[in-house]
Amino acid sequence: MDLKIIKNYLDNKTYCILDKEINSRYFPLYYTDYVSYDNKKDGFMFNHIFYNNGVNSDFFEKIVLPLIKPLNVKTLIRAKLNFYTNQKHQIKHGYHTDSKEDHKVALYSLDTNNGYTEFKNGPIVKSVANQLCVFDGKLKHRSVTQTNKNSRINININFI
């Protein structure tokens, strides 16, 4: 399986800047009444689109650039923050792929909790703060919410 996990992905100073910015009371989050495009009845989340067919956010440079700089990104397709709330039991969202075109996914965990990303024909990747999981975008995966923290925050980057 084409999957790589990088622990302590960002240096501590950069990680703290991202964490402080995203967890501030002024960071904008937007409600979405579904989680996966393939199953629009699988729950809800909040998100923030940094990039989708162009820069969509004033936070792009401060948050996304430090994450993609070490990657060999030729074309950025989309970058977004996923924010899941604690719903008192784990919710398994629908399996999906992020794009129909060939691409890679870099999934960055901002916090540690008991939520995770599950691959249909593969492993479970736990949410661990400052961890990056890079995988082939053709792999079907799903998010699973957390129960031990108020939120689960990750940044999903689709690229070529």
Side-chain angles (χ1 to χ4, degrees):
M1 173 173 279
D2 187 13
L3 184 135
K4 181 178 182 182
I5 295 174
I6 306 166
K7 295 179 185 281
N8 300 312
Y9 180 67
L10 298 174
D11 62 81
N12 193 51
K13 180 181 176 187
T14 307
Y15 168 76
C16 288
I17 290 169
L18 264 65
D19 184 53
K20 183 178 178 182
E21 191 73 47
I22 291 168
N23 282 302
S24 80
R25 63 175 25 194
Y26 302 107
F27 186 81
L29 294 169
Y30 304 93
Y31 175 78
T32 304
D33 63 356
Y34 61 90
V35 175
S36 68
Y37 295 110
D38 298 340
N39 180 359
K40 296 200 177 189
K41 296 179 182 175
D42 65 349
F44 70 92
M45 70 175 176
F46 294 86
N47 66 34
H48 183 98
I49 306 295
F50 297 109
Y51 185 96
N52 191 13
N53 297 318
V55 175
N56 295 89
S57 171
D58 293 337
F59 296 91
F60 178 81
E61 286 188 28
K62 189 178 254 185
I63 294 172
V64 177
L65 285 184
L67 292 170
I68 65 173
K69 198 171 189 175
L71 301 170
N72 187 19
V73 174
K74 292 185 174 89
T75 304
L76 184 60
I77 299 168
R78 183 184 71 181
K80 72 177 190 130
L81 180 137
N82 298 324
F83 185 102
Y84 305 98
T85 60
N86 184 337
Q87 298 179 50
K88 307 300 179 206
H89 64 280
Q90 286 191 307
I91 296 172
K92 295 182 176 188
H93 302 115
Y95 284 108
H96 65 279
T97 57
D98 294 346
S99 175
K100 303 244 182 264
E101 61 187 296
D102 285 342
H103 69 288
K104 294 256 186 214
V105 177
L107 187 63
Y108 179 76
S109 293
L110 190 69
D111 51 4
T112 299
N113 56 68
N114 66 353
Y116 53 91
T117 299
E118 181 177 8
F119 290 86
K120 190 166 189 171
N121 296 311
I124 286 173
V125 177
K126 296 178 181 181
S127 288
V128 176
N130 198 20
Q131 175 177 281
L132 185 78
C133 176
V134 180
F135 58 93
D136 186 322
K138 293 178 189 172
L139 297 175
K140 286 198 174 247
H141 60 282
R142 67 178 174 187
S143 56
V144 179
T145 61
Q146 78 294 344
T147 59
N148 66 334
K149 301 280 176 86
N150 286 335
S151 62
R152 175 181 180 223
I153 304 170
N154 58 45
I155 298 172
N156 180 301
I157 300 167
N158 302 144
F159 66 99
I160 298 171

